[in-house]
Structure formats: structure tokens, C-alpha cells
Amino acid sequence: MINVYLSVIILLLILLVIEIKNVHNLTVKNAVFYIGTLSIFSLIAFRGTEVGGDTSAYANFFIGKHSMYGTIDNSDMEIGFIWIAKILHLINKTKIWFLFSSTFITLFPFFYMVKKYSCNKTIPLLLFMTIWSIMPTALCAVRQNLAVSLVMVAYILFIEKIKNKHVERFRRKVWMLCCILLCILSVLTHTSMIVALPLLFLAELVNIRKKTAYIIVFASFLIVLIIDNLFNSLFSLFNEYTAAFSYADRMNGYFENADYALTNEVSFNRLAPTTFWVLLLIFKSKEEVISSTFLKCLIWGNSLYCIGASFPMISRAVYLLMLMGIVYVPFSLYSKRKQLSNVLLFLLLVFFVRTQFKYFSEYNVNENYYGVRLLPYKTIFEER
């Protein structure tokens, strides 16, 4: 029996074909977008507490039941997350509300970006489900997802309010203050934002040329394949010096877990498909479009993912860049020129989908503690 994740992926493939065939029909494009986003939202918002590695711990934390994160009234987690949880707690104190509301906060900025800034609405949703462990991360990394969503909201305000010269100067300053406060709250919600925010600033402020983009992406891919042992040695050294810290055991667990797709595997098969995807997007983009922050997020995100492939949880470290990067789809996708590149893009999408089918066909339900526990999938309504 086909599982729910593959059902959503198949639905998105059908929606992609419908969207491409109705590229000039705004009503159809909007319908496709809302059906696709609703399917992904429902999959994550209504998951059971046993779906996703840390979901049950977060749910118990929220309702005041002791978990590895403590409780909402007694926890040493980041203060920003506790503030957000307590605000949600004022509205409703149930697990269903926590999962629904946290998912809404997490996914709304991403869906907004896809709707507003992507010329194709289905491809980003399909990539969300199939590459770079984005979907598993959305299921289990509640704190990080909330922190990332805050940054994405800040970036939306930055684009639409601060960079917009039609907004009066005083209001731009007010919106700038809002952006700063959101970024500060994101850091207080999950410490990974200390790394993610400078990377986003890099993507926004540093412009690159098309030739440079090719070099960055291809060189990072090639270098890591050639000097894989060097990166493994660097991680081993890092691991040795941090062994005394409390998070070391958890890091080792992630490092050794293949099912979480956060392993130290450095291989052509793991890194080449997404690298070729980014190279094709660069190829299909005009020189002036290379300055798109979304494309630069994709370029830097993929390059850092390749370089850091020997390190545990690298996809989590560049998660913000990946999530914003998959929003980018070049307008030349609908051009009658460069049809071969369109065929290659479609074949890569098919490959990403095939990889997910293979993964789920070989999926081991008996995950260890560090697994994301994707299956068996149950909804929150099936729990007693």
C-alpha cells in the first residue's frame, strides 16, 4: 500500500503537469497552488505525535507533561521558543492546537514566497517534499522551523516595505525595526540562526556573476569529492575536542544515522543530482537574474551542503538557504528556447521523486532514537 508521503508527491506531479499546460490561466494556477499547499500543510499539521523524531517531546512539553525538553513552565530551551509556546498556550493547551499552529507559523512564509515570487508554484512544493531532507526537517525540527519562519517573515518585510521606495521614510524605519526584532527573536528561538542569518546576509548583499556562480557550485562539488578524507579528519578533530560537552552524544547519533539523511556520506550519487539541478537553473537564468537573492541562496546553500557533506546535520545548518532557494524558478522555464535544459530539469525532478519512492520502499520502521520516524504515518486524530 502506497504511503501518504508518496501520495502527496504523486499529487504534486499531477498538479505540475496541469500548471504547465495552463501557464496563462491564472485561475488554474491559483487552484493548483492552493491544492498543493493544503496537501503539504495537512500532512505536517495533522501528523500524530509519533511522526517525526522529536514531535512527541515537543507536544508533551507544550501540554505540561515532562519530556526531554522539560515542560513549558520548567525548561532550559531557548527563551524565544518558550515565549512563542506560551503565547500559543494562552489560546489553547492541546497537542492538536500546538501542532496545527506551529505548522501554520512555519509554512505560511514559505507558501507566501512561493505564491508571490515563484513563476511556477508546484516545482518548489515538489522540491520541498523530495530533496535536501527539507520535508523530514519540517516534521521534526519544531524550534528551528519557527526560527526560520521568523527570518523569512523579516525578509518578506524587507523586500516589500523597506526596499520599496514608495513607502514613506518613517514607515520604512518602523518596518526595519520590526525586521531587526524578528531576527533577534529567531536567534532566541533557535541558536542555529547565529549561523543562518550571516549566510542570508551574504546571499542578499554579495552579488555574483553567472560565470562565478558556475565556478562556486561546480568547484564545491568537485573539491569535496577529491579531498573527502580531509573533511572527515576535520570533523573527527572537532568531535574529539567537543566530546566533553553535553550535545556531543546527540551529534554522534545524528552523524551515524543514515535514515535521517544527515550522514557523513560523501558520494557522487548523493551530491550530484541537486548540484546539477542548481547548475541547470543558473544556465536557464539571464545574467541580470543571477542577482536574485533566492537563486543566490540556492547557490550558496548547495555549495555549503557539498563542502560540509562530511559533517553531521549539514542540511540543518543551511536549512534557511535551502528553503528560500527552492522558491526560485527561472521565467525561461516557459521559453521555447533551450528546450533540452527543460527536459533535463524534468528528468531531475523525476529522479528526485524516484529516490523518494526507493527510500520509502526500503524504509525501516524500527528507527533508533535519532531517526525521524516517518512511518508508520498516523494522524493526531487517530491517537487516543
Side-chain angles (χ1 to χ4, degrees):
M1 180 178 178
I2 193 166
N3 69 62
V4 65
Y5 305 103
L6 298 184
S7 299
V8 172
I9 291 172
I10 291 172
L11 173 63
L12 291 173
L13 276 174
I14 295 171
L15 293 176
L16 175 61
V17 173
I18 294 173
E19 182 177 4
I20 290 176
K21 287 184 174 293
N22 296 272
V23 62
H24 299 300
N25 190 324
L26 186 60
T27 302
V28 173
K29 286 174 70 72
N30 284 335
V32 162
F33 169 76
Y34 289 120
I35 293 171
T37 53
L38 183 61
S39 64
I40 293 176
F41 176 81
S42 300
L43 177 73
I44 299 174
F46 300 121
R47 70 191 186 278
T49 56
E50 295 304 316
V51 178
D54 295 339
T55 304
S56 61
Y58 281 117
N60 287 333
F61 161 87
F62 184 76
I63 65 173
K65 186 177 179 180
H66 185 74
S67 69
M68 66 178 180
Y69 296 130
T71 69
I72 194 168
D73 296 313
N74 184 20
S75 175
D76 58 357
M77 283 199 294
E78 290 96 334
I79 190 64
F81 173 71
I82 295 174
W83 289 342
I84 294 172
K86 286 189 174 182
I87 291 172
L88 297 177
H89 203 258
L90 292 173
I91 301 171
N92 194 286
K93 298 177 175 59
T94 63
K95 293 180 181 180
I96 295 176
W97 166 247
F98 173 70
L99 293 176
F100 178 89
S101 58
S102 61
T103 302
F104 181 84
I105 295 170
T106 294
L107 293 181
F108 180 80
F110 171 68
F111 289 160
Y112 181 90
M113 284 182 171
V114 173
K115 182 74 167 63
K116 189 76 178 284
Y117 304 117
S118 181
C119 67
N120 182 284
K121 314 306 178 187
T122 317
I123 289 177
L125 303 181
L126 200 52
L127 295 177
F128 180 96
M129 291 293 298
T130 55
I131 64 173
W132 286 317
S133 302
I134 292 175
M135 187 270 295
T137 304
L139 281 170
C140 64
V142 175
R143 287 178 3 258
Q144 184 174 14
N145 278 293
L146 289 171
V148 164
S149 71
L150 293 172
V151 175
M152 294 177 78
V153 170
Y155 188 72
I156 291 169
L157 294 177
F158 176 74
I159 293 176
E160 299 186 1
K161 302 297 182 182
I162 299 171
K163 294 182 75 173
N164 186 350
K165 295 181 179 179
H166 296 293
V167 177
E168 62 178 88
R169 188 173 180 181
F170 174 76
R171 290 189 177 183
R172 285 208 302 268
K173 289 182 178 180
V174 173
W175 287 119
M176 176 61 78
L177 178 60
C178 291
C179 289
I180 293 171
L181 291 176
L182 284 169
C183 289
I184 292 172
L185 181 58
S186 74
V187 173
L188 295 176
T189 302
H190 198 271
T191 51
S192 66
M193 293 302 103
I194 296 174
V195 175
L197 279 170
L199 293 177
L200 179 58
F201 292 151
L202 173 71
E204 172 64 26
L205 299 176
V206 179
N207 288 325
I208 54 178
R209 299 183 64 83
K210 195 168 184 176
K211 183 177 179 181
T212 307
Y214 280 126
I215 293 172
I216 291 171
V217 174
F218 188 73
S220 61
F221 170 68
L222 195 61
I223 288 171
V224 76
L225 291 180
I226 295 172
I227 56 175
D228 168 28
N229 291 332
L230 172 62
F231 289 105
N232 276 323
S233 299
L234 285 173
F235 173 73
S236 297
L237 184 64
F238 170 80
N239 209 33
E240 179 181 342
Y241 280 99
T242 58
F245 294 95
S246 59
Y247 63 82
D249 289 339
R250 188 170 178 82
M251 290 289 284
N252 282 328
Y254 282 120
F255 183 73
E256 294 167 0
N257 189 287
D259 293 314
Y260 205 10
L262 301 171
T263 71
N264 63 332
E265 177 195 354
V266 176
S267 67
F268 183 88
N269 290 341
R270 179 190 175 199
L271 302 177
T274 48
T275 298
F276 290 161
W277 174 267
V278 177
L279 288 171
L280 276 171
L281 292 187
I282 296 171
F283 173 73
K284 292 188 67 62
S285 302
K286 295 181 179 180
E287 183 71 48
E288 59 269 22
V289 181
I290 297 295
S291 61
S292 164
T293 300
F294 296 108
L295 178 55
K296 287 188 289 183
C297 280
L298 198 63
I299 292 168
W300 289 114
N302 183 79
S303 300
L304 291 169
Y305 183 87
C306 287
I307 291 173
S310 297
F311 294 81
M313 300 185 73
I314 184 60
S315 62
R316 294 278 289 272
V318 294
Y319 181 60
L320 172 63
L321 295 185
M322 300 303 198
L323 198 56
M324 289 184 59
I326 61 174
V327 170
Y328 179 79
V329 179
F331 284 99
S332 59
L333 177 73
Y334 299 111
S335 172
K336 293 183 179 180
R337 299 177 58 194
K338 300 180 180 179
Q339 286 298 303
L340 178 59
S341 60
N342 282 347
V343 172
L344 292 175
L345 283 173
F346 181 77
L347 289 176
L348 275 174
L349 279 174
V350 172
F351 177 83
F352 296 149
V353 172
R354 174 193 168 276
T355 301
Q356 290 298 334
F357 271 74
K358 183 180 179 183
Y359 172 76
F360 283 114
S361 67
E362 299 172 354
Y363 188 90
N364 179 15
V365 174
N366 298 315
E367 298 285 337
N368 64 31
Y369 176 78
Y370 297 100
V372 291
R373 292 201 299 270
L374 297 177
L375 293 174
Y377 183 89
K378 292 184 179 180
T379 68
I380 190 69
F381 306 111
E382 295 177 84
E383 297 185 357
R384 293 182 180 179

